[in-house]
Each structure stands twice: as structure tokens, then as C-alpha cells.
Amino acid sequence: MQLNRIIALVLVVVCFAAAALGITRRQTEESIDLTAFRNKGDRLELVTLSGAISGSSSSSTSAKAVWERLIELRSEDRVRGVLLSINSPGGTVGMSKEVYAAVRELRELKPVVVTMLDQAASGGYYIASAATKIYANAGTLTGSIGVILSGFNVKELFNKVGIESQTIKTGPYKDIFSPFKQISDPERELLQELLQSTYQEFVSDVADGRKMDLEVVKKLADGRIYTGSQAKANGLVDEIGTSEDALDDLRGMARKQFSLPTNQKLPLERTPASFDRLLDQLTGNSNVLPELRSSSVSQTLDGLLQRFLKLPSQESSRELSNLDPPILLMPSWYQ
């Protein structure tokens, strides 16, 4: 494991050295033929969202990478439609809402068709609901419209082994949901209000995106999971079919919206990652790139050493001490 981190670090240093020698972003993109790819004729774009939704950018199929690509596609006139493939159990509220908004804005310019694979639940369904049309397989797991906030109470366990938590705080709610104490009634009420507010936004956005009556959505939004067939029956998805079925429908919608000939091929393609995204994926951390742009060489290498070799730092110590659980749009069975 240590050897793999060293090899990865060497690769990053080589990339940094190449940039220092004058290899510009434009030259790099030309080397992977990104400009030529974008200048092709009319086509459809495949965007894949896979895994739990969060603000980290660990791969080209992460929620953040998908959000960035959807924003780029607004200005790419040659892309006449987007096939958004979703295989996700959901995730954090903030990133789910960001991708939802990006899909909503994009569908105002060109058709966006979602194809659901194994699962598109909770935050995954939240995002799908913003599309022009939704396809699911009969056995797809979807729905789970709701919000969850969960944690552990280890107070009794610590008491048995003689460990006592000591907390100094500036307000009565600063250590809310601490695993070292029981939640008080005022804290529980505050958290429930917070979840209800988020839930109302979730339900409202789904109703808006699907053009469904709000009260109808509320009856479906009790956290339960639906199969694709059940979701079709209750109006949460439009069609039962494969990704090929969704693609054929998308082609027809794009030809109609942009008055294209019925014999125009409109191939489905995936744009290669830009230099920024390639570097983010290489390092596995979207926060590395700004350091490469603005920090000195010594600061950059020091930061990379800490990340790849797991050396302790003040920043990492602060991160490890943060016990606040995220509010999730994710079914509890996934945790």
C-alpha cells in the first residue's frame, strides 16, 4: 500500500514538473484531442452518475464531475440531447440539489433522458426527477423519497470501560448529535424541524420536476422503495425499458426539438475528461488542483506527501475531530 502511494506521488510530481516546463492546458487538451472531439457534428452525450452522491470528485462518474459536465453541456450546441445514466443509492442533500438544478436548467435547452440501472433511490431519484423523461428497468430500485439523519450513542459503552467525554462549547446546540450523550428533547425537536424543512423542499422539487400534484407526491414520499414497475404505475417514472430504449427515444426527441432530418444518426458519445478532471482523478482529491495553481513547489509537495503518505497535519486532525453527521438523501438500508 505504501509503495502504491509513493508511485502515485511520483506520477503527480511528474505532472507538476511538466506543467512547470510550460506544457499548457491548451497543449494538453490538444494531446488528448479534446478540441477536435467537441468540434464534431451533431451528437448525443452520455453522462454517467454512479455511487453515493457527495461533494467529492473521485472519478468521472461522481456527482461533482457530473454536475460540472452538465453545466458545460449548456454551451455545447453540437450536443443535441443528453442520456443521463444513474446507478446511485443517493447521498448528501447539498450535492443532490446542485445536480438536480443543473439537470433542470439543461433540460430547458435540450432533452435530458434518464435511464435508471440497479438503483436510483432517494438523492438519485431526486436528480432523475428533473429530467425531461425517465426510463427504468422493471427491477430497478427507486423512490425512497425522504431525509434521514442517524448516528450512534456510545455513552453506556464508554461508561462500562471508564471513559468520560469532556466538552467545552459556546452554545447549547454546538455538540448536538454527539455520540457521547443522549439527545435531549429540545435537540430532537430542532433536528426534526430541520429534516422536515429539507423534506418539504425534496417533495416540492420532485413535484415540480415531474409536473405532479404536490399532495400526490407526498403520499408516495414516505421513504418506501419502489421497483421500476411500481414507480411506472404511480407516475414516478415514465417508461419501463432498457438504456437502448431510452436512447432511441432521446434521438427522436432531439430530432423533433431541433428540426433535424429523421435519418440523421446522432451518435451517442462520451466526451474525454479535461486536463483538470484527469488531474483530479489521478490525485483522488479535488482540492489538490488549486494548490498546483497557487502554492509554491515546497508547499505543494508537502501537501501531497501528507495526502498520499497519510502524514499527520493540523488540517487532518481537525477533519478527524469533526463528528457532525451529514443529512442524507439515502435509504437507511444502504448505510
Side-chain angles (χ1 to χ4, degrees), residues 136-140 227-230 240-241:
N137 287 297
T140 298
T227 65
S229 297
Q230 290 173 327
I240 298 297

Side-chain angles (χ1 to χ4, degrees), residues 75-99:
S75 59
E76 295 187 19
D77 295 334
R78 289 296 191 179
V79 176
R80 299 299 193 173
V82 177
L83 183 66
L84 177 57
S85 175
I86 298 180
N87 191 17
S88 171
T92 59
V93 175
M95 201 66 232
S96 297
K97 290 181 69 67
E98 289 283 354
V99 184

Side-chain angles (χ1 to χ4, degrees), residues 107-182:
R107 90 173 191 187
E108 299 300 320
L109 303 174
K110 58 194 72 177
V112 180
V113 174
V114 162
T115 174
M116 295 178 172
L117 302 183
D118 295 328
Q119 54 185 336
S122 209
Y125 180 76
Y126 195 165
I127 291 169
S129 69
T132 310
K133 197 168 186 177
I134 301 175
Y135 275 77
N137 287 297
T140 298
L141 295 180
T142 188
S144 187
I145 302 173
V147 189
I148 185 172
L149 178 61
S150 62
F152 298 95
N153 181 359
V154 297
K155 179 181 177 181
E156 294 300 324
L157 174 63
F158 275 27
N159 287 341
K160 288 182 180 180
V161 296
I163 300 176
E164 181 180 353
S165 172
Q166 295 182 341
T167 303
I168 300 173
K169 55 186 179 179
T170 58
Y173 299 112
K174 187 55 184 175
D175 64 341
I176 194 170
F177 228 115
S178 167
F180 307 117
K181 67 181 184 65
Q182 180 70 30

Side-chain angles (χ1 to χ4, degrees), residues 189-210:
E189 183 179 349
L190 187 151
L191 291 172
Q192 189 62 51
E193 290 177 357
L194 185 150
L195 290 182
Q196 284 300 124
S197 175
T198 304
Y199 170 78
Q200 292 297 337
E201 289 186 15
F202 191 172
V203 172
S204 177
D205 285 344
V206 168
D208 189 34
R210 294 292 300 159

